[in-house]
Amino acid sequence: LVCGTCVGIGRNHYGVQENIYDLVVIDEAARSPASELAIAMQVGKKVLLVGDHKQLPPLFDEAHIKAAKRELPKLDEEELKRSDFERAFVSDYGKTVGRSLLTQYRMAPPIGKLVSENFYDGALQTGRSLTHDSYQNLISSFATPVTWFDTSGEGNQNREATPTGKGVNEKSFINPLEADCIISIIRRMYDSDGEIFKEGEEPKIGVICMYGEQVRHLIRKINSMPWARSLLERRIVKVDTVDSYQGKENDIIILSLVRSNARGTQGY
């Protein structure tokens, strides 16, 4: 049994150029661009790709996309960014040999239903019950298992902003009002129920942001408040980007969409 990343498995000390493996299993295959898949696939008699093309797509360098568009002008950008996993899975061959695992155990039923109806044509089933009482009571005090907190009534205060300062990513965005809302939500839970804020193996609350600068903005604000900083330090609250979160799990997730502008541009 040899384990590694798609690219790392090609290092000389693994000897993959000299070996042919009976079976190569590639996890998160829908996130891998063709060049990464090829490194791992070339050394297997049989290849098993495991992934979900309806989740996050592969990450491509913009320069590579522009070069591909010059070579293949008839293809639009979305088609160029499709994963080879998706191309294989929806092909005639993929329809013959592919299998779908359609029962999920991670999401609570209302969340699973939302995801199923919007992304899987209702085919995804939930194989678990609602979460235990302490979370149900906490959430029901001011929200439901799936809740949208709408900031559109705040006028221009709800707008996104371009971050300023040394070392920031000028192509990224922050949303100060969303950051304040998220901290107030965490504060409300913190004041309501100390039970869930006990330390455990995984953070209890995950804050996912669509942009890296929003992560940094939120962490700076949290670190300025002693009660909130202690939650970060004790790993009860985790703040990260959506790309970094694939495969992770927390009891409560707060999602910061960040974008809000007069043009209606959604961004990520």
Side-chain angles (χ1 to χ4, degrees), residues 179 182-183 207 209 214-222 239:
I182 287 166
I183 291 171
V207 181
C209 303
Q214 180 77 343
V215 171
R216 287 181 275 278
H217 177 74
L218 254 169
I219 289 176
R220 283 195 297 270
K221 287 193 74 86
I222 289 172
V239 186

Side-chain angles (χ1 to χ4, degrees), residues 49-252:
L49 303 179
V50 182
D52 185 353
H53 58 278
K54 296 193 177 185
Q55 292 190 32
L56 291 173
L59 285 174
F60 291 102
D61 188 281
E62 286 303 315
H64 292 167
I65 294 295
K66 289 178 181 177
K69 286 175 76 172
R70 288 195 295 270
E71 296 293 327
L72 302 165
K74 293 183 179 180
L75 294 182
D76 61 33
E77 190 166 314
E78 289 303 311
E79 180 62 27
L80 290 170
K81 289 183 175 181
R82 282 179 75 200
S83 67
D84 278 14
F85 176 92
E86 180 180 0
R87 295 179 207 277
F89 190 78
V90 302
S91 70
D92 291 339
Y93 174 72
K95 290 173 183 175
T96 301
V97 303
R99 296 292 183 271
S100 295
L101 306 178
L102 293 173
T103 303
Q104 65 83 22
Y105 299 89
R106 175 174 282 182
M107 295 175 279
I111 303 173
K113 183 180 179 183
L114 175 73
V115 172
S116 180
E117 290 179 354
N118 283 279
F119 299 102
Y120 297 93
D121 299 321
L124 187 65
Q125 302 299 310
T126 296
R128 54 162 286 186
S129 61
L130 281 171
T131 188
H132 55 75
D133 289 343
S134 62
Y135 287 100
Q136 283 298 106
N137 295 336
L138 172 67
I139 294 301
S140 63
S141 67
F142 70 99
T144 57
V146 183
T147 296
W148 300 97
F149 286 90
D150 185 1
T151 64
S152 61
E154 300 295 329
N156 289 332
Q157 289 186 62
N158 81 332
R159 297 302 195 203
E160 68 201 35
T162 303
T164 58
K166 187 177 180 181
V168 301
N169 180 357
E170 294 178 355
K171 295 182 179 179
S172 191
F173 295 92
I174 62 172
N175 191 312
L177 179 64
E178 272 189 25
D180 291 341
C181 287
I182 287 166
I183 291 171
S184 70
I185 291 168
I186 295 172
R187 181 76 206 215
R188 188 162 181 174
M189 289 189 283
Y190 180 79
D191 290 340
S192 299
D193 190 336
E195 184 67 24
I196 73 159
F197 287 91
K198 292 180 179 178
E199 294 177 44
E201 292 183 8
E202 294 291 336
K204 295 294 192 296
I205 299 174
V207 181
I208 302 178
C209 303
M210 290 296 182
Y211 290 86
E213 287 299 332
Q214 180 77 343
V215 171
R216 287 181 275 278
H217 177 74
L218 254 169
I219 289 176
R220 283 195 297 270
K221 287 193 74 86
I222 289 172
N223 280 329
S224 70
M225 305 172 186
W227 69 269
R229 184 172 65 246
S230 71
L231 299 179
L232 275 185
E233 291 170 346
R234 291 186 289 141
R235 295 188 69 251
I236 292 169
V237 172
K238 175 183 174 63
V239 186
D240 217 331
T241 62
V242 65
D243 285 310
S244 301
Y245 237 93
Q246 178 107 336
K248 295 183 176 67
E249 181 176 332
N250 301 118
D251 292 327
I252 295 172

